[in-house]
Amino acid sequence: QVQLVESGGGLVQAGGSLRLSCAASGIRFSIDSMAWYRQAPGKRRELVARLTDGGSTTYADPVKGRFTISGDNVNKTVYLQMNSLKPDDTAVYYCYVVQRVRLAYNEAYWGQGTQVTVSS
């Protein structure tokens, strides 16, 4: 059974930094990609950053230049370094992992979410 355990959320003042971690267990196949999403109250869940197995990264426009996603394939852990945080970054942040079960078939998993609150 795949489990994603997130940590690192909390309360921080605007301009501060946080580092989120997500450790995946139970992964039996290769990882296709790992990502972070977020959902603010009353808003849809949105992609924050994505890291593919080839090392390519994608960032949402609001976080470009401030957030950095990185991963450790050996330990199956993904990180999100968040700098210059703004009140608009306040949200529940979710880890998302896709494993490649077989050709043309992937399975995706969500973490339980970790709250990030940025005060002004």
Side-chain angles (χ1 to χ4, degrees):
Q1 183 177 357
V2 174
Q3 288 189 323
L4 305 180
V5 178
E6 299 146 339
S7 61
L11 173 64
V12 64
Q13 288 188 332
S17 298
L18 284 174
R19 187 184 192 222
L20 304 183
S21 300
C22 172
S25 61
I27 297 289
R28 297 170 54 205
F29 305 97
S30 63
I31 292 178
D32 174 84
S33 62
M34 306 179 85
W36 289 94
Y37 284 74
R38 68 185 181 187
Q39 187 167 19
K43 295 188 177 181
R44 298 176 61 182
R45 190 172 298 188
E46 62 178 5
L47 175 68
V48 175
R50 180 174 178 262
L51 173 67
T52 70
D53 60 340
S56 298
T57 57
T58 303
Y59 294 94
D61 285 343
V63 308
K64 284 181 180 177
R66 299 188 298 121
F67 290 11
T68 303
I69 188 171
S70 60
D72 179 347
N73 282 336
V74 173
N75 295 313
K76 295 181 173 52
T77 302
V78 62
Y79 306 96
L80 185 68
Q81 178 66 43
M82 305 185 293
N83 299 329
S84 302
L85 283 161
K86 304 175 181 179
D88 284 349
D89 295 318
T90 296
V92 177
Y93 284 70
Y94 297 91
C95 178
Y96 181 74
V97 173
V98 179
Q99 69 169 340
R100 190 180 297 112
V101 177
R102 57 179 180 270
L103 185 64
Y105 180 73
N106 297 333
E107 290 182 347
Y109 305 90
W110 289 97
Q112 80 284 357
T114 185
Q115 177 70 46
V116 171
T117 302
V118 184
S119 63
S120 57

